[in-house]
């Protein structure tokens, strides 16, 4: 009977604990987290919670009663060291937890903006409930909002701010929005969408300094221009929380390196969720994903292994983002695609982009076309793909998959 200690009480850590109990794990399950309260979901922080549409109590993944009922011990504390020989995790307050198996589900933290003024009052990030509460407090009194980073979180925040009638500028360092994750067609569509709502979008924009005394007053760009700002939201990506693993001598390379069973090089330590780099069948390369799907499916796969039903991790990556009335859903991984075909009507706000790599379908990005998204997930889950030649005008993707 193995006692499992899970470090990181976010989406993945919670799911490992819940799935272990679902699978009948008889040993202790200890979930260690350094944020206050019960584990909660992050996606609403930049959507319904930010806008006030979702009350705080609905953020929790489960109420305290769930943990009590299932014998999941919630420990509030920060893990600061792993003693692999003695199989113990040290917490910052000097407590020690002994493990039979250790799960690292430490997630990521926001990348810091490396320019002068980045610590001024009114410059905020968005990762935790605490961040979202600080933003909610500020947003009411703000007039000029500058969002640094045109990725999912920055854009979801920008949409929420624009809906409140604020003047919003989005600064993106690269040539297009959400560059890391979507095709050019989707980037272009979202740029138009934000601009139609009155948001100014500047691409190839390099921030060199933030101005202000105590509070931020402006954002200076490389061309010398200064944008007025009384609220700056920084969303320039994340850094995996991998120091604990690195200090314990485990392999780290843009995240905690695991094998197809999500095990580190120490068979008694696994890593899951945003912090883990795993060999992806879908990308054909090591991959670290930041998504709820990845966190949940990693966790389920690991819990199955720890309860005797080991299978290599093979889930299809999928993701969603809500901005204004556009629901973007992505199935597969578009990185490295060499051809994209648009089906549907972007001008009507409903279309899908079929992305191909070496002639095979690797990703479907759908905007307000959930049936395409679901069909793509079904196709990829069954191990199928689709040749470029099948996507002739009139080809019915959903029918083909059904
Ligand atoms: P996390 O949820 O980050 O949890 C890790 C936890 O570990 C944190 O609580 C951290 O404080 C804790 N921790 C770290 N180190 C230690 C330590 N040493 N000791 C103790 N505790 C520690 N994904 C989607 O698929 N769709 C979306 O629409 C979407 N929207 C998002 C919106 C926002 C604002 C954010 C921030 C994320 C969003 N995501 C979305 C991403 C998704 O929330 C993450 O992929 C998911 O939370 C990852 O789960 P995780 O458990 O790996 O990491």
């Amino acid at each position: 009977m193995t006692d499992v200690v899970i470090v990181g009480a976010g989406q993945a850590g919670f799911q490992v604990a819940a799935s272990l109990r679902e699978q009948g794990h008889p040993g202790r399950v200890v979930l260690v987290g350094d944020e206050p309260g019960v584990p909660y979901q992050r996606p609403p922080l930049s959507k319904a919670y930010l806008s006030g549409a979702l009350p705080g109590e609905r953020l929790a993944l489960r109420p305290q009663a769930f943990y009590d009922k299932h014998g999941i011990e919630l420990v509030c504390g920060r893990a600061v060291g792993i003693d692999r020989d003695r199989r113990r995790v040290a917490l910052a307050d000097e407590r020690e937890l002994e493990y039979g198996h250790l799960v690292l589900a430490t997630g990521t933290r926001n990348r810091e903006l490396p320019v002068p003024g980045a610590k001024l009052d009114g410059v905020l990030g968005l990762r935790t409930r605490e961040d979202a509460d600080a933003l909610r407090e500020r947003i009411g009194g703000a007039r000029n909002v500058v969002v640094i980073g045109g990725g999912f979180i920055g854009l979801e925040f920008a949409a929420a701010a624009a809906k409140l009638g604020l003047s919003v500028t989005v600064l993106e360092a690269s040539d297009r929005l959400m560059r890391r994750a979507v095709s050019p067609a989707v980037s272009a569509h979202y740029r138009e969408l934000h601009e139609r709502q009155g948001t100014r979008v500047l691409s190839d924009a390099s921030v060199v300094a933030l101005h202000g005394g105590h509070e931020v007053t402006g954002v200076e760009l490389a061309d010398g221009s200064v944008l007025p700002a009384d609220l700056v939201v920084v969303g320039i990506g994340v850094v995996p929380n991998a120091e604990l693993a690195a200090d314990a001598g485990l392999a780290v390379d843009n995240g905690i390196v695991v094998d197809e069973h999500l095990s580190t090089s120490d068979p008694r330590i696994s890593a899951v969720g945003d912090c883990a780099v795993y060999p992806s069948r879908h990308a054909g390369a090591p991959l670290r994903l930041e998504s709820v799907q990845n966190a949940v499916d990693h966790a389920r796969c690991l819990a199955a292994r720890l309860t005797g039903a080991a299978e290599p991790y093979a889930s299809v990556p999928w993701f969603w983002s809500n901005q204004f009335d556009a629901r973007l859903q992505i199935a597969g991984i578009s990185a490295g695609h060499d051809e994209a075909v648009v089906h549907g009507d972007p001008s009507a706000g409903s279309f899908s982009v079929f992305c191909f790599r070496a002639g095979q379908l690797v990703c479907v990005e759908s905007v307000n076309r959930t049936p395409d998204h679901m069909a793509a997930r079904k196709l990829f889950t069954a191990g199928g793909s689709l040749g470029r030649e099948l996507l002739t005008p009139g080809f019915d993707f959903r029918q083909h998959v059904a």
Side-chain angles (χ1 to χ4, degrees):
M1 191 162 71
T2 306
D3 289 345
V4 179
V5 173
I6 304 158
V7 175
Q11 187 85 48
F14 155 77
Q15 190 64 52
V16 172
S19 295
L20 280 172
R21 286 299 185 231
E22 256 170 48
Q23 303 301 321
H25 176 72
R28 280 179 77 193
V29 176
V30 183
L31 183 53
V32 185
D34 61 357
E35 291 189 73
V38 290
Y40 62 91
Q41 26 170 353
R42 295 187 199 282
L45 299 181
S46 51
K47 307 176 183 74
Y49 182 69
L50 189 67
S51 68
L54 185 85
E57 56 276 15
R58 300 257 313 273
L59 276 182
L61 284 157
R62 293 289 186 283
Q64 178 64 48
F66 173 86
Y67 302 93
D68 299 340
K69 180 173 170 203
H70 294 282
I72 297 168
E73 300 167 46
L74 284 181
V75 172
C76 187
R78 179 159 186 79
V80 292
I82 303 169
D83 182 335
R84 287 167 56 190
D85 294 332
R86 291 169 59 238
R87 286 193 273 119
R88 274 159 216 256
V89 178
L91 304 189
D93 61 8
E94 298 188 354
R95 276 179 291 175
E96 276 197 337
L97 297 167
E98 191 174 352
Y99 63 83
H101 196 90
L102 177 65
V103 181
L104 300 175
T106 47
T108 59
R109 60 183 179 273
N110 286 338
R111 188 181 295 284
E112 288 183 12
L113 187 67
V115 303
K119 299 255 188 276
L120 286 170
D121 206 34
V123 182
L124 300 168
L126 180 48
R127 172 107 212 129
T128 62
R129 180 175 181 167
E130 205 183 321
D131 295 337
D133 288 340
L135 278 169
R136 274 163 58 134
E137 218 167 87
R138 282 259 172 189
I139 205 168
R143 275 173 304 138
N144 295 307
V145 177
V146 174
V147 177
I148 303 178
F152 292 114
I153 291 174
L155 291 175
E156 288 181 359
F157 175 80
K163 276 198 228 161
L164 290 174
L166 306 179
S167 152
V168 184
T169 303
V170 174
L171 303 175
E172 168 54 41
S174 79
D175 58 347
R176 61 182 178 87
L177 299 175
M178 302 179 284
R179 189 180 221 294
R180 237 173 10 110
V182 302
S183 63
V186 169
S187 292
H189 181 77
Y190 275 80
R191 180 175 188 139
E192 245 182 79
L193 180 68
H194 281 265
E195 287 177 341
R196 262 206 317 276
Q197 304 291 334
T199 295
R200 201 173 156 209
V201 178
L202 302 180
S203 44
D204 299 304
S206 172
V207 173
V208 293
L210 303 188
H211 292 199
H214 173 63
E215 301 221 345
V216 69
T217 55
V219 177
E220 183 180 340
L221 300 180
D223 64 6
S225 59
V226 178
L227 306 168
D230 46 19
L231 177 59
V232 173
V233 175
V234 180
I236 55 169
V238 296
V239 181
N241 292 322
E243 291 77 4
L244 203 55
D247 292 348
L250 301 171
V252 166
D253 183 5
N254 180 38
I256 305 168
V257 178
V258 293
D259 65 15
E260 59 177 359
H261 289 283
L262 308 173
S263 177
T264 68
S265 49
D266 181 335
R268 290 190 179 274
I269 306 180
S270 302
V272 290
D274 282 15
C275 69
V277 183
Y278 69 98
S280 164
R281 292 183 177 188
H282 299 277
L287 189 64
R288 193 178 62 73
L289 285 176
E290 294 150 21
S291 76
V292 168
Q293 169 277 322
N294 182 66
V296 169
D297 288 345
H298 268 184
R300 289 189 172 136
C301 176
L302 173 61
R305 167 158 64 86
L306 295 179
T307 51
E311 287 282 350
Y313 182 74
S315 298
V316 174
W318 58 266
F319 184 81
W320 81 95
S321 173
N322 298 341
Q323 297 166 41
F324 301 108
D325 57 356
R327 183 167 178 79
L328 170 64
Q329 292 169 294
I330 303 172
I333 301 285
S334 71
H337 75 275
D338 47 33
E339 195 175 4
V341 179
V342 177
H343 268 227
D345 184 1
S347 65
S350 169
F351 65 103
S352 290
V353 182
F354 292 79
C355 301
F356 295 84
R357 194 167 51 226
Q360 289 300 302
L361 185 67
V362 290
C363 181
V364 177
E365 304 166 338
S366 304
V367 178
N368 293 334
R369 297 252 292 198
T370 297
D372 282 357
H373 173 71
M374 297 312 291
R377 276 166 57 180
K378 188 171 170 191
L379 178 75
F380 293 143
T381 301
S385 183
L386 198 63
R388 163 76 184 87
E389 66 285 356
L390 290 176
L391 273 186
T392 46
F395 174 72
D396 190 334
F397 177 63
R398 297 171 208 166
Q399 190 61 42
H400 174 84
V401 174

